[in-house]
Amino acid sequence: MSKKKAKKGQSKPSGKSNAVKFKEFLHSKNFARLCGATFILFAIFLFFAILSFYVKGAPIDNSRDNWMGMVGGWFALQLTAHSFGVGAFGLLLILFLFGIRLWGRKTRLATIVWVTLFWMVWAATFFGYIAGHWINNNWDPESTSSLEAYAGNMGYIISGGLYKLISWFTFIILLFSAAAVLIFVHKVRIHINKEKWQQRFADWAKRRELRRAERAEQARLKAERQAELADLSDQSDQSDQSDTPQKDSFADFLEQVNNPNPTPTPEPEPEVVDLTGTLDKQETPAQPEDDIDFKINLTEGEGLSDKAETSDESDLSDESDLSEDDSDYSRHFGINDLYDPHLDLGDYIMPSTDLLEDWETANVKVTKEELIANKDRIVQTLRDYGIEITEITATPGPTVTLYKIKPAPGVRISKIKNLEDDIALSLAALGIRIIAPIPGESNIGIEVPNAKPQIVAMKTMLESDAFKNAKMELPIAFGKTISNEVLVADLAKMPHLLMAGATGTGKSVGLNAVLASLLYKKHPSELKLVLVDPKKVEFSLYSAIDRHYLAKMPDEEEAVITDTKKVVRTLNSLCIEMDTRYDLLKQAGVRKITEYNDKFIHRRLNPEHGHRYLPYIVVIIDEFGDLIMTAGKEVELPIARIAQLARAVGIHLIIATQRPTTNIITGTIKANFPARAAFRVTSGIDSKTILDTGGAQQLIGRGDMLISLAGKDMIRLQCALIDTPEIEKLTHFIGDQRGYSDSNMFMLPEYLDENDEPTKDFDPKQKDEFFNDAARLVVASQFGSTSLLQRKLQLGYNRAGRIIDQLEAAGIVGPYKGSKARDVLIKDEVELEEILRNL
């Protein structure tokens, strides 16, 4: 029996009941997706129903006018006028996102629900307050032609309850709550340019005062004219003798009426303080010096510190501050059909000079006694060696004073040049420099350090007219010359700069002055920086502006480059960028970057053909000697190539080193860097290496520098000072503003080293979701490039680069070819679809 039962049990079919299957279906992923699709479709249905409700504004009982019919009209009425008002759209958003969540997509549903519920209640309450308490107090929920339909019953009830409790303060509560959510939840930032608004208020007050004064002047002239006409009518019967002065006074009166603002008398220009005198005969009675003229040349705005005499004549009025609006932006405004490269960061605010310190307030000016004492020592030393001079002129500067001497006829220049050490000994100076002769003059210059050197503040440089009104592409304010003139040079015309100086002489401050000048003058869309810092501490503060000004390689986390291997890759990437830009210039039929950008701004170049706005790229390399010692030719070759070719495409190099030896600064480097800047060096050999002449070893340090711009005469100046706290304020001001997103950031081209071995195996598990679309796009256009995927699929550079690598691994595009586009290996879309199905 048991065996028979067992056989009977084995013969029964083993299967699940319908109830169990239905229960499993309810817990399956397919049922969840079905519910998700239902929620999504229902949300779309309600969206068009509510939209039709507000657009048509038809009577409620006539539901046939609703786009979604009677059912849609009923749902729209219940959700809007009878419930949430315009906040019903938020409910649709929640339904839609819930459907997407059921479908399998991960969303932050909880956060979105709470925020959406807040805005639903806020919108209904706001419109309820406007409709019920500002417009009228008659509530009609069936009306769709007024604001009442936007509030709904809920908005009217909440706003009415709040109005009974706190009256008109309800509106203030609504505004405050909305602002709080926008700032703390949605992270909306509000930038207010305090200086700009203060300037606008000051201009408005000034215009108001001018209009008031103009009306008062017109009223006064009108009264005088009426009085004069009355006097003339009373005196019309007098003799001709009395008519003559009346005609003259009336003619003067008419002239005054016709010209109420006569030309003001020009103010006399500030006089140059010329002190002509002789040496004190009591000090040197045996050597009369009546034949030597001594003059002190003072530039505008400079004076001498003299306790016995106060130079009121040299007190000049301060110039009014110019507007903060950058003059370079004027070419983009006023014409609607021009391309504006600033639109990606349209709310970017240029930094103000209030972030910088005014170091010059504590400066002590050169005294007249010091100038006269140095003059006497120079003349005495020269006469001790039998050298007579006829004239000596002193020009005080911030760090040194230039004494120009005119030797007597028959005196050899070499004889004075050989007395350099003797003059330094007599003056007890740190080191003097003799210029024999001064280029373009028949004088010999002797530069003597001041007893108390002055500080040149970067704030003064940026606020000067020479910098504000500079019509240059890349203006750099280096500092003040011996004659107290602000030296502003154009990096675009240098076009590359070589800097050198011993440790502690101000080389790093000079690099920061260059960076500050560029950041204060150029918009992030017009300038990109590549910073190389082997010491890892000099440029670390500039990492805060990586989303605004810094350019970097794809997949690089740090924008400031500190690794030697990454430096080599970045320099080779710049070579690729240079070649790409030359190809673009060739296609556009222009010779330099300014002509190309002008064509692009006037929309004469099609972006679909690969054209884009080209920002300037400034590469700044600190401690170049360390890179040469570690990388050698791998660094020198791309730098030489960039220095030779990159000027026309807007790529400029600034190289700094503290060891200007011949094995660091080779002949190839020197030949392509016509602009040189030297701080104090240890020997004359180093000075000749960097400047091709001596003199840098005689500088006094702390920013004292010599600069030669593209073969021009050597200029001695005091470099502007910008301290670390000022740089931190500047970079934080820029970094706190909205920067470029990942898809809009400027990325350098990808560079593959020969030693790199990219993987060629295609992994279907890591295939990007845009892989198929990218493959079809590349095959259809027969053009394989990362930039094409960025534009057409609106992807970031990194993601587009990974898709290109996957296409290469799948055999759809060819290998990397530098600046050129990859070859497309698949020519037919039918073949491509077969490959995609197999993948």
Side-chain angles (χ1 to χ4, degrees):
M1 294 293 294
S2 61
K3 291 182 179 180
K4 291 181 180 180
K5 291 181 179 180
K7 289 182 180 181
K8 290 181 180 180
Q10 291 177 357
S11 62
K12 290 182 180 180
S14 60
K16 297 181 181 179
S17 63
N18 293 332
V20 174
K21 291 182 179 179
F22 182 73
K23 188 175 181 180
E24 290 179 353
F25 174 73
L26 293 180
H27 292 84
S28 65
K29 190 175 182 180
N30 292 332
F31 179 74
R33 287 191 173 186
L34 179 63
C35 293
T38 304
F39 277 110
I40 292 173
L41 291 176
F42 187 57
I44 296 174
F45 174 82
L46 293 179
F47 174 79
F48 286 105
I50 296 174
L51 184 64
S52 174
F53 180 80
Y54 284 117
V55 170
K56 290 198 170 186
I60 301 304
D61 55 353
N62 190 6
S63 301
R64 292 176 301 173
D65 291 339
N66 194 288
W67 296 340
M68 297 292 104
M70 295 180 61
V71 176
W74 184 85
F75 272 109
L77 177 63
Q78 300 302 320
L79 291 175
T80 55
H82 290 171
S83 299
F84 306 105
V86 73
F89 285 107
L91 182 63
L92 305 187
L93 177 62
I94 295 175
L95 289 175
F96 185 80
L97 294 177
F98 185 69
I100 292 179
R101 182 70 175 269
L102 292 176
W103 187 262
R105 297 289 181 180
K106 293 184 178 180
T107 58
R108 296 184 300 175
L109 187 61
T111 303
I112 297 176
V113 166
W114 285 112
V115 175
T116 305
L117 289 176
F118 167 80
W119 286 115
M120 287 174 59
V121 176
W122 187 91
T125 306
F126 177 79
F127 284 108
Y129 180 82
I130 298 297
H133 304 286
W134 276 18
I135 300 178
N136 56 64
N137 291 321
N138 297 322
W139 176 252
D140 183 13
E142 302 296 326
S143 175
T144 61
S145 59
S146 65
L147 289 175
E148 297 170 352
Y150 289 87
N153 284 336
M154 182 183 69
Y156 190 73
I157 292 172
I158 296 176
S159 63
L162 289 175
Y163 189 80
K164 290 180 181 179
L165 293 175
I166 56 177
S167 187
W168 59 269
F169 202 72
T170 302
F171 187 70
I172 304 299
I173 296 296
L174 289 173
L175 294 181
F176 176 79
S177 60
V181 172
L182 288 174
I183 293 174
F184 296 108
V185 177
H186 297 288
K187 305 298 182 182
V188 176
R189 295 182 179 180
I190 302 175
H191 297 283
I192 299 177
N193 193 339
K194 181 179 178 181
E195 291 187 358
K196 188 173 182 180
W197 283 104
Q198 288 178 349
Q199 183 66 28
R200 287 183 176 179
F201 180 78
D203 293 342
W204 172 80
K206 187 176 181 180
R207 289 193 301 268
R208 183 181 179 185
E209 291 295 331
L210 290 176
R211 287 194 298 267
R212 185 178 299 173
E214 184 179 357
R215 288 194 296 268
E217 182 68 16
Q218 291 176 355
R220 184 184 64 81
L221 292 176
K222 184 177 180 181
E224 290 181 358
R225 183 175 183 181
Q226 291 177 355
E228 189 71 23
L229 292 176
D231 293 341
L232 290 174
S233 62
D234 295 338
Q235 300 174 2
S236 60
D237 296 334
Q238 296 181 1
S239 60
D240 295 338
Q241 295 179 355
S242 61
D243 289 341
T244 303
Q246 291 175 359
K247 288 183 178 179
D248 294 339
S249 62
F250 183 65
D252 295 340
F253 170 74
L254 290 179
E255 183 179 358
Q256 183 180 7
V257 172
N258 295 328
N259 187 15
N261 296 321
T263 303
T265 304
E267 297 181 0
E269 297 181 356
E271 298 180 357
V272 177
V273 180
D274 294 336
L275 300 177
T276 304
T278 59
L279 295 175
D280 191 355
K281 297 182 180 181
Q282 295 180 358
E283 296 179 1
T284 56
Q287 298 177 355
E289 300 179 359
D290 296 338
D291 56 340
I292 299 178
D293 292 335
F294 177 50
K295 301 178 181 179
I296 301 176
N297 293 336
L298 299 178
T299 57
E300 183 177 354
E302 293 294 325
L304 296 178
S305 174
D306 193 351
K307 297 179 180 179
E309 299 178 4
T310 58
S311 55
D312 294 335
E313 297 176 0
S314 63
D315 187 12
L316 303 178
S317 60
D318 295 335
E319 296 179 357
S320 59
D321 293 337
L322 297 177
S323 174
E324 292 182 0
D325 294 337
D326 197 343
S327 60
D328 290 342
Y329 301 161
S330 61
R331 59 180 178 177
H332 303 309
F333 297 158
I335 304 177
N336 296 328
D337 58 346
L338 295 183
Y339 171 77
D340 187 1
H342 302 169
L343 289 180
D344 290 337
L345 287 184
D347 56 349
Y348 177 79
I349 301 174
M350 298 296 289
S352 169
T353 54
D354 290 340
L355 302 172
L356 307 180
E357 298 290 338
D358 190 2
W359 302 102
E360 299 186 11
T361 55
N363 284 341
V364 179
K365 296 181 179 180
V366 182
T367 62
K368 192 185 303 179
E369 288 82 359
E370 180 183 350
L371 297 178
I372 295 176
N374 288 338
K375 181 262 299 184
D376 292 341
R377 295 190 185 99
I378 292 174
V379 173
Q380 183 62 39
T381 303
L382 293 176
R383 282 185 172 172
D384 289 344
Y385 290 91
I387 298 175
E388 296 291 336
I389 60 176
T390 59
E391 183 181 344
I392 180 170
T393 305
T395 304
T399 305
V400 297
T401 298
L402 175 63
Y403 294 88
K404 296 181 181 179
I405 63 175
K406 181 173 290 187
V411 177
R412 293 185 177 181
I413 296 178
S414 60
K415 195 173 182 180
I416 300 177
K417 182 70 174 176
N418 295 331
L419 297 177
E420 188 170 350
D421 296 334
D422 299 283
I423 296 175
L425 179 61
S426 65
L427 295 174
L430 179 62
I432 67 170
R433 177 170 170 263
I434 294 180
I435 309 172
I438 297 176
E441 299 182 18
S442 59
N443 298 323
I444 296 175
I446 301 177
E447 296 175 349
V448 180
N450 297 332
K452 295 181 179 179
Q454 300 178 7
I455 298 176
V456 177
M458 193 67 202
K459 181 177 182 179
T460 306
M461 300 296 99
L462 300 178
E463 291 178 348
S464 64
D465 292 339
F467 183 79
K468 284 186 174 182
N469 302 329
K471 303 299 181 182
M472 303 176 182
E473 293 297 327
L474 297 173
I476 298 176
F478 284 101
K480 285 187 178 181
T481 63
I482 292 179
S483 58
N484 278 291
E485 296 178 355
V486 177
L487 178 64
V488 180
D490 191 0
L491 180 61
K493 293 183 179 180
M494 291 185 191
H496 311 290
L497 177 62
L498 184 61
M499 300 179 66
T503 303
T505 57
K507 183 176 74 283
S508 297
V509 177
L511 293 176
N512 288 326
V514 171
L515 287 169
S517 301
L518 297 175
L519 294 179
Y520 269 92
K521 199 67 174 178
K522 306 302 289 185
H523 190 271
S525 62
E526 301 172 328
L527 173 68
K528 298 301 173 185
L529 300 173
V530 177
L531 303 181
V532 179
D533 183 16
K535 291 194 298 187
K536 303 181 181 180
V537 294
E538 291 296 338
F539 296 145
S540 58
L541 293 177
Y542 295 97
S543 59
I545 60 174
D546 59 339
R547 288 193 170 273
H548 300 80
Y549 284 98
L550 300 189
K552 59 182 180 179
M553 293 280 293
D555 298 329
E556 291 289 344
E557 296 181 358
E558 297 181 358
V560 179
I561 307 168
T562 57
D563 188 6
T564 304
K565 295 181 180 179
K566 295 180 180 180
V567 173
V568 176
R569 294 182 64 243
T570 302
L571 292 175
N572 285 282
S573 175
L574 287 169
C575 292
I576 299 174
E577 175 70 16
M578 178 184 67
D579 295 335
T580 303
R581 291 191 172 198
Y582 267 113
D583 292 339
L584 294 177
L585 264 64
K586 179 181 177 182
Q587 296 175 13
V590 295
R591 300 179 60 184
K592 54 185 179 180
I593 186 174
T594 53
E595 298 175 357
Y596 178 88
N597 284 337
D598 184 69
K599 271 192 171 183
F600 189 84
I601 289 173
H602 287 82
R603 301 190 183 277
R604 288 185 286 173
L605 299 176
N606 190 356
E608 296 295 332
H609 298 161
H611 292 289
R612 52 191 170 91
Y613 183 83
L614 301 180
Y616 285 95
I617 300 177
V618 179
V619 185
I620 301 180
I621 303 176
D622 193 15
E623 297 300 338
F624 179 67
D626 182 71
L627 294 180
I628 290 294
M629 292 180 63
T630 54
K633 293 294 183 181
E634 293 181 347
V635 171
E636 183 180 355
L637 292 179
I639 285 181
R641 188 163 182 264
I642 293 172
Q644 290 172 353
L645 303 174
R647 172 184 181 178
V649 293
I651 302 177
H652 304 278
L653 289 171
I654 298 178
I655 295 177
T657 180
Q658 63 180 359
R659 290 174 294 182
T661 56
T662 53
N663 60 338
I664 300 298
I665 304 177
T666 62
T668 305
I669 297 295
K670 288 181 61 177
N672 296 287
F673 283 78
R676 321 273 179 82
F679 295 85
R680 187 184 181 185
V681 294
T682 56
S683 65
I685 297 177
D686 292 344
S687 177
K688 291 181 180 180
T689 302
I690 183 67
L691 296 175
D692 293 330
T693 184
Q697 76 279 7
Q698 297 167 336
L699 300 176
I700 63 175
R702 297 181 63 85
D704 190 18
M705 62 182 294
L706 291 172
I707 188 168
S708 174
L709 300 175
K712 296 182 180 179
D713 298 334
M714 200 75 62
I715 302 174
R716 186 171 185 176
L717 56 97
Q718 177 65 30
C719 183
L721 172 63
I722 178 170
D723 204 3
T724 302
E726 300 175 77
I727 301 172
E728 189 173 2
K729 291 180 183 178
L730 174 61
T731 54
H732 284 178
F733 176 82
I734 298 175
D736 290 342
Q737 302 186 52
R738 181 179 65 88
Y740 290 103
S741 60
D742 292 336
S743 59
N744 293 332
M745 284 186 65
F746 184 87
M747 291 290 181
L748 296 176
E750 181 184 5
Y751 172 75
L752 295 179
D753 194 0
E754 296 178 355
N755 298 326
D756 295 339
E757 296 181 359
T759 57
K760 297 297 183 180
D761 297 334
F762 180 78
D763 187 2
K765 297 181 180 179
Q766 297 181 356
K767 185 176 71 171
D768 194 277
E769 60 179 337
F770 285 97
F771 178 84
N772 294 347
D773 296 336
R776 295 185 181 97
L777 175 62
V778 168
V779 173
S781 61
Q782 289 295 306
F783 190 82
S785 70
T786 305
S787 59
L788 177 67
L789 302 185
Q790 284 183 269
R791 293 194 307 271
K792 296 297 185 180
L793 302 180
Q794 297 182 354
L795 302 176
Y797 185 88
N798 297 336
R799 188 175 184 181
R802 287 194 296 270
I803 295 177
I804 283 290
D805 293 337
Q806 292 178 2
L807 293 175
E808 178 186 358
I812 298 176
V813 298
Y816 179 71
K817 297 176 62 178
S819 61
K820 297 181 180 179
R822 297 173 184 250
D823 295 332
V824 181
L825 305 180
I826 305 300
K827 306 299 181 181
D828 189 3
E829 294 185 1
V830 177
E831 182 181 359
L832 173 65
E833 295 298 332
E834 183 67 23
I835 294 176
L836 295 179
R837 282 195 297 271
N838 295 332
L839 292 176

